[in-house]
């Protein structure tokens, strides 16, 4: 039985929801799984885990700086483990931008990161206009208008392909 750590960095909760699903699948395959936010993971001894998965969302075109700080501090441990990384972003709703090879945010992550994960994934996120503060609602609506996405601010739009999440989870569980 593997001892697995699933770490998430999320703004609105969709990345955490995806990590929860991946954790359930890995547990069903016999792994002992610890789910932790990026901040919680700092207090854990990463060396105790056999496998580490890190997941992060995009907001306004960037992963959060805390993600890179965490990786810079722990890339040696991450590299020594079975590891994976996935990014959650709304751009991935487009078929031509939903793979690690074609997603601009994954490409940027790999350029900026000291860590080069063994397994990569990209999942489309969720837009939940009713939950957003006014500034975020206006900015995200403008971005969606520019990229031909949904602009009705009364709606919630989930783009996550849960079958793709399940495939990723099984692949990670089998590593």
């Amino acid at each position: 039985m593997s001892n697995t750590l699933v770490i998430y960095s999320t703004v609105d909760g969709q990345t955490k929801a995806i990590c929860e699903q991946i954790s359930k699948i890995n547990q069903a395959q016999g792994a002992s799984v610890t789910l932790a936010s990026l901040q919680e993971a700092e207090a854990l001894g990463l060396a105790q885990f056999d496998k580490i998965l890190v997941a992060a969302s995009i907001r306004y075109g960037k992963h959060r700086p805390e993600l890179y700080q965490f990786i810079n501090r722990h890339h040696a441990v991450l590299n020594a483990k079975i590891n994976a990384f996935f990014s959650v972003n709304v751009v991935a709703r487009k078929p031509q931008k939903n793979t690690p090879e074609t997603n601009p945010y994954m490409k940027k992550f790999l350029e900026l990161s000291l860590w080069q994960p063994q397994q990569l994934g990209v999942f489309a996120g969720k837009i939940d206009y009713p939950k957003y503060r006014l500034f975020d609602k206006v900015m995200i609506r403008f971005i969606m208008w520019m990229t031909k996405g949904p602009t009705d601010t009364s709606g919630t739009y989930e783009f996550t392909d849960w079958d793709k999440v399940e495939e990723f989870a099984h692949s990670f569980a089998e590593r």
Side-chain angles (χ1 to χ4, degrees), residues 13-19 21-22 57 86-94 98 122-127 156-166 168:
Q14 189 68 1
T15 303
K16 182 180 180 186
I18 293 169
C19 285
Q21 183 63 22
I22 289 171
S57 63
F86 69 82
S87 179
V88 178
N89 55 80
V90 178
V91 161
R93 76 186 188 281
K94 297 182 176 190
N98 69 358
V122 174
F123 304 116
K126 176 179 175 180
I127 296 174
T156 298
Y157 308 91
E158 184 168 341
F159 301 105
T160 305
D161 180 340
W162 290 100
D163 290 336
K164 189 175 172 184
V165 169
E166 188 170 332
F168 181 91

Side-chain angles (χ1 to χ4, degrees), residues 26-110:
N26 275 254
Q27 286 170 333
Q29 301 236 342
S32 170
V33 179
T34 300
L35 179 66
S37 70
L38 198 58
Q39 296 76 20
E40 294 165 340
E42 283 292 351
L44 300 173
L46 301 185
Q48 70 177 308
F49 295 96
D50 305 314
K51 299 164 81 172
I52 301 175
L53 167 63
V54 179
S57 63
I58 292 290
R59 178 56 67 93
Y60 302 130
K62 296 181 180 183
H63 289 105
R64 298 164 87 190
E66 297 85 1
L67 172 69
Y68 293 105
Q69 293 163 5
F70 179 87
I71 289 168
N72 289 347
R73 282 191 296 278
H74 302 290
H75 72 277
V77 176
L78 292 170
N79 284 327
K81 305 293 179 178
I82 296 169
N83 66 70
F85 173 78
F86 69 82
S87 179
V88 178
N89 55 80
V90 178
V91 161
R93 76 186 188 281
K94 297 182 176 190
Q96 69 275 20
K97 295 186 180 180
N98 69 358
T99 69
E101 298 78 26
T102 62
N103 186 270
Y105 302 120
M106 180 61 80
K107 289 179 183 181
K108 187 72 164 179
F109 170 81
L110 294 171

